[in-house]
Amino acid sequence: MADATRRLPTNVEGDLFVDETCIDCGACRWMLPTVFDAEDGASRVYRQPDARERARALQAAVACPSGSIGTARRDPEGLRRASSSFPHPMAEGVFHCGYHSEKSFGAASYLVLREEGHVLVDSPRFAKPLVRALEALGGVATMFLTHRDDVADHERFAAHFGCRRIIHRRDRTSRTQGVEQVIEGDAPVELAPGLTVIPTPGHTAGSACLLVGESLFSGDHLAFSRRLGHLYAFRDACWYDWTTQIASMERLAGYRFVRVLPGHGAPVERPAGAMADDLQRCIRWMRSLSPSGW
């Protein structure tokens, strides 16, 4: 938990606060936007949670990768409930793992329940409450790593659950040399019926999305911007090539999905037609920022 003596002055007065260890990953802001926002390069509490929001605020405290969210008054029972609330349901068969890791700058990890074996998308912190919950659900058969930045504690999860890890060859690094399956090229790869890897280079050379039914796990390739009001890509965090990322986004437009679950940023859900239209808005916006448009 956070240190009250290091409480940021930008917080509103009251019990819940963010301290100066915040890394500005934004996880708390999408988990509870009615309580958390950003100010001066860090998250803050701009409004104290009401009784209904209290449990979600404590979930954000548990999920926080840097342990920067705290309460002035002790609430061990509330924190116990929050700690045991992950994986948290997002849609049928899709769960947010919480327990974000500072190693991946607070990226979200998701669990997908499948009869053939559960899939973990990117790596959360290897936290005992989460590990016990995953065990109770039947373990993890596959870990899909969207790109090199969000691998966090993948080795510990693989050692514990014996799961098969998957990453694109262009994003395999010294930290992921032991990964069991490597994706090649830019063609989609069907891992199993209803489970498709879509290579989407741009953010990194080996960035890839995972399409599971109507859910797209997009890593840091595609997210939703409340400010812009549509899907977008991280222009200031494009580590490989923006033009390549635009081309990847255009290929992605050929797929049907109603849900986008990114590594950073809020998950978004809307009808397939509206999602397709929104993706086209994203592509037009990206082209407006391409080198030819500067």
Side-chain angles (χ1 to χ4, degrees):
M1 291 291 287
D3 182 350
T5 67
R6 304 176 71 183
R7 178 181 183 130
L8 288 169
T10 50
N11 291 286
V12 70
E13 289 188 11
D15 182 50
L16 187 72
F17 66 91
V18 177
D19 78 8
E20 62 188 23
T21 63
C22 174
I23 62 172
D24 196 27
C25 72
C28 64
R29 302 198 292 266
W30 71 255
M31 290 181 67
L32 192 54
T34 57
V35 167
F36 298 98
D37 71 357
E39 183 76 18
D40 295 338
S43 292
R44 65 164 183 168
V45 175
Y46 75 92
R47 176 183 154 275
Q48 288 295 326
D50 59 28
R52 180 181 56 83
E53 296 165 321
R54 174 79 177 181
R56 187 63 168 163
L58 293 179
Q59 280 188 319
V62 170
C64 177
S66 49
S68 304
I69 301 171
T71 57
R73 61 181 174 84
R74 289 178 53 80
D75 187 2
E77 181 57 26
L79 282 172
R80 185 196 65 77
R81 288 194 297 268
S83 296
S84 62
S85 67
F86 293 107
H88 178 73
M90 303 290 289
E92 185 176 359
V94 177
F95 296 78
H96 171 214
C97 291
Y99 292 95
H100 297 212
S101 172
E102 197 165 358
K103 297 174 185 176
S104 58
F105 192 62
S109 173
Y110 297 96
L111 178 71
V112 182
L113 301 187
R114 289 174 57 87
E115 289 185 6
E116 304 87 346
H118 303 336
V119 180
L120 194 60
V121 181
D122 288 327
S123 174
R125 259 180 288 150
F126 192 83
K128 287 182 180 179
L130 176 61
V131 171
R132 288 195 293 265
L134 293 174
E135 289 171 344
L137 287 169
V140 177
T142 302
M143 176 182 285
F144 176 74
L145 302 170
T146 60
H147 64 298
R148 67 189 184 201
D149 299 331
D150 293 354
V151 301
D153 290 334
H154 74 99
E155 292 170 307
R156 296 186 69 182
F157 280 99
H160 186 84
F161 289 107
C163 56
R164 172 186 56 147
R165 293 162 293 173
I166 303 169
I167 197 168
H168 197 284
R169 182 174 298 280
R170 290 193 293 257
D171 264 24
R172 189 169 65 171
T173 68
S174 58
R175 290 193 60 205
T176 50
Q177 283 299 310
V179 165
E180 289 75 20
Q181 182 173 351
V182 175
I183 301 298
E184 306 271 4
D186 291 334
V189 176
E190 187 177 59
L191 302 175
L195 195 68
T196 303
V197 177
I198 306 169
T200 50
H203 171 68
T204 60
S207 174
C209 297
L210 183 68
L211 183 62
V212 184
E214 294 185 318
S215 296
L216 183 77
F217 298 90
S218 59
D220 287 343
H221 173 68
L222 178 67
F224 180 80
S225 168
R226 284 193 176 91
R227 180 180 62 84
L228 295 173
H230 60 73
L231 295 169
Y232 83 122
F234 298 106
R235 182 64 184 96
D236 293 337
C238 180
W239 311 133
Y240 180 60
D241 183 75
W242 187 245
T243 301
T244 300
Q245 190 161 356
I246 294 172
S248 294
M249 206 72 76
E250 290 170 338
R251 289 199 303 274
L252 192 60
Y255 294 87
R256 183 185 189 278
F257 47 90
V258 303
R259 195 173 298 111
V260 174
L261 300 107
H264 290 95
V268 61
E269 182 172 345
R270 57 187 58 185
M275 188 72 83
D277 291 343
D278 203 30
L279 187 55
Q280 290 302 322
R281 289 181 66 192
C282 171
I283 292 169
R284 290 193 295 271
W285 172 80
M286 293 178 73
R287 287 174 178 157
S288 76
L289 302 179
S290 66
S292 60
W294 289 352

